[in-house]
Amino acid sequence: MAINLLDFDSASLTRFCMDIGEKPYRAKQLLRWIHQLGISDFSEMSDLAKAFREKLAALSIIRSPEVINDHIAADGTRKWLLSTGAGNAVEMVFIPEANRGTLCISSQVGCALACSFCSTGKQGFNRNLTVAEIIGQLWWANKMLKTEKAHETSFIPENSINGRIHHQEKNIGRAISNVVLMGMGEPLANFENVVTALGLMLDDNTYGLSRRKVTVSTSGLVPAMDRLRERCPVALAVSLHAPNDALRDQLVPINKKYPIKMLLAACERYLQAAPRDFVTFEYVMLDGVNDSTEHAYELVRLVKKIPCKLNLIPFNSFAESGYKRSSPEAIRIFRDVLLQAGLVTTVRKTRGDDIDAACGQLAGQVLDKTRRVNRNITKIAG
């Protein structure tokens, strides 16, 4: 079977080149062709020797997950359904804004953590994504968005006498400025593949993103948070969603293994190496569940000593969720309690909900290995 070079970071690609009799510096050239230029045809890699290109074509491929569907929301948010084989598919979302473009990527086919308000969790778990399937999302989206942007043209008069006009390409710049692992799956439950993909995102020979521009979101796998701090500390978002263990046990079942006290201690340790001087706590607003004034004051007491930012997320409904979004008034009152306590607090603007691309709505297609769903909560977190 051909080797997918999207699975390789700099070190492993260097070893691959040496194993087939090539100089180590060839790896750097390949990384640039593959990731910076988005080239998948070896014959187009013009500064590589012909014999080397033929060798690569015989042994390897450059292949990202295949796009099944492409949907664009009224607000410009874009969602793709990507095949991962055997009847499974994951979803990826691009959120364009005036000063940045954020790509939300998936790390697993489904999720074993079964958070009660999350559409992905309702589908169960099938498998971890490979490095190629994780970085392949960025590779494909980056290539496609840059190509589309390059085709945007403006018509500028070239000669006012004869009326001729010509196309002038706009400066395409960088379509994707931020990457968040907040799509399907728990990133830290697929630790090694995720860390390898993170390394590729940060590599100056590939995408050159700063650690501040790459965010990993976790439900609270404490040992893996510590490992991430040591291996590849990027921006951290923690799915908190409740101010006490009793409620969080219901909403985020992994809390039974790693309760809030352990989770917050891990956050404090993470800040020692984090690229930002705060952790983002995500808090989904569920009507009548976790949105009372009492919950807000309890949350203040819980996190006030930790450098953090609170991101309140209006619940995005999906079929059979059993929850409703908190009212705008309830969200405003909750936010004001946090702000008055001196906590940096934002309310996330809902994007792409008309195409089910909003936070918590990603579902894809998951052939659930049902008996593994509950067992995996203990297995992956140990």
Side-chain angles (χ1 to χ4, degrees), residues 270-291:
Y270 196 88
L271 284 170
Q272 297 169 11
R276 292 175 171 169
D277 57 1
F278 63 88
V279 170
T280 299
F281 288 120
E282 310 281 359
Y283 195 100
V284 65
M285 301 296 295
L286 303 169
D287 182 42
V289 177
N290 65 351
D291 64 346

Side-chain angles (χ1 to χ4, degrees), residues 3 46 79 83 112 157 160 165 175 192 199 205 208 216 227 239 245 254 261 264 266 301 314 333 355:
I3 298 168
S46 55
K79 181 176 77 169
S83 173
S160 59
I165 60 174
E192 290 298 334
N205 291 307
V216 168
R227 292 173 64 200
S239 298
D245 284 324
I254 195 64
K261 184 177 180 179
L264 297 187
R301 293 191 294 271
I333 293 172
I355 58 170

Side-chain angles (χ1 to χ4, degrees), residues 258-309:
Y258 301 115
I260 290 176
K261 184 177 180 179
M262 292 179 64
L263 176 60
L264 297 187
C267 290
E268 291 185 283
R269 292 192 296 272
Y270 196 88
L271 284 170
Q272 297 169 11
R276 292 175 171 169
D277 57 1
F278 63 88
V279 170
T280 299
F281 288 120
E282 310 281 359
Y283 195 100
V284 65
M285 301 296 295
L286 303 169
D287 182 42
V289 177
N290 65 351
D291 64 346
S292 71
T293 303
E294 291 74 16
H295 288 130
Y297 282 115
E298 192 175 4
L299 183 59
V300 168
R301 293 191 294 271
L302 184 69
V303 303
K304 64 181 179 180
K305 293 183 179 180
I306 299 176
C308 65
K309 171 184 174 181

Side-chain angles (χ1 to χ4, degrees), residues 90 128 326:
V90 297
N128 288 328
S326 300

